[in-house]
Amino acid sequence: GANSVQDEGYFMPMEEVARRTQEAVSLGATEVCAQAGLPPGMEPGLYEEVAEVIKRAAPGIHLHAFSPEEVLYGAKVSRRSVKETLLSL
């Protein structure tokens, strides 16, 4: 359902991603690890949006994100090459 843990993992609001990033920085974090999973029916550009929100919330943060499977999935969903997908992140 709309409130399940699985849905929350796939569809965390971007405002919450930004808030958690800012909170981590305020607590001394220098790196954020982000995994977006492989959500069925994912909109193209989701991974790029997650990365952009994190970098906008904390421009100096090191972003450790996206597994090889996520990069392949993002490329497939966006109909781009793996190289184009990596460059967009």
Side-chain angles (χ1 to χ4, degrees), residues 18-32 54 57-62:
R19 187 197 70 74
R20 289 183 185 197
T21 300
Q22 291 166 339
E23 179 182 29
V25 170
S26 75
L27 295 170
T30 59
E31 178 177 281
V32 171
I54 291 169
I61 200 83
H62 175 79

Side-chain angles (χ1 to χ4, degrees), residues 41-88:
M42 182 180 92
E43 292 291 323
L46 174 66
Y47 300 151
E48 291 88 343
E49 184 180 4
V50 169
E52 182 179 305
V53 165
I54 291 169
K55 293 302 253 179
R56 195 168 48 239
I61 200 83
H62 175 79
L63 178 58
H64 180 108
F66 311 118
S67 68
E69 291 84 4
E70 288 170 314
V71 173
L72 287 171
Y73 185 61
K76 178 182 175 186
V77 168
S78 299
R79 296 187 174 144
R80 293 184 295 194
S81 69
V82 169
K83 181 178 180 178
E84 289 170 318
T85 300
L86 288 169
L87 290 171
S88 73

Side-chain angles (χ1 to χ4, degrees), residues 1-46:
N3 294 322
S4 76
V5 173
Q6 183 179 17
D7 287 344
E8 180 180 320
Y10 284 152
F11 301 108
M12 180 183 297
M14 291 299 157
E15 296 81 15
E16 182 65 9
V17 173
R19 187 197 70 74
R20 289 183 185 197
T21 300
Q22 291 166 339
E23 179 182 29
V25 170
S26 75
L27 295 170
T30 59
E31 178 177 281
V32 171
C33 181
Q35 293 182 323
L38 307 174
M42 182 180 92
E43 292 291 323
L46 174 66

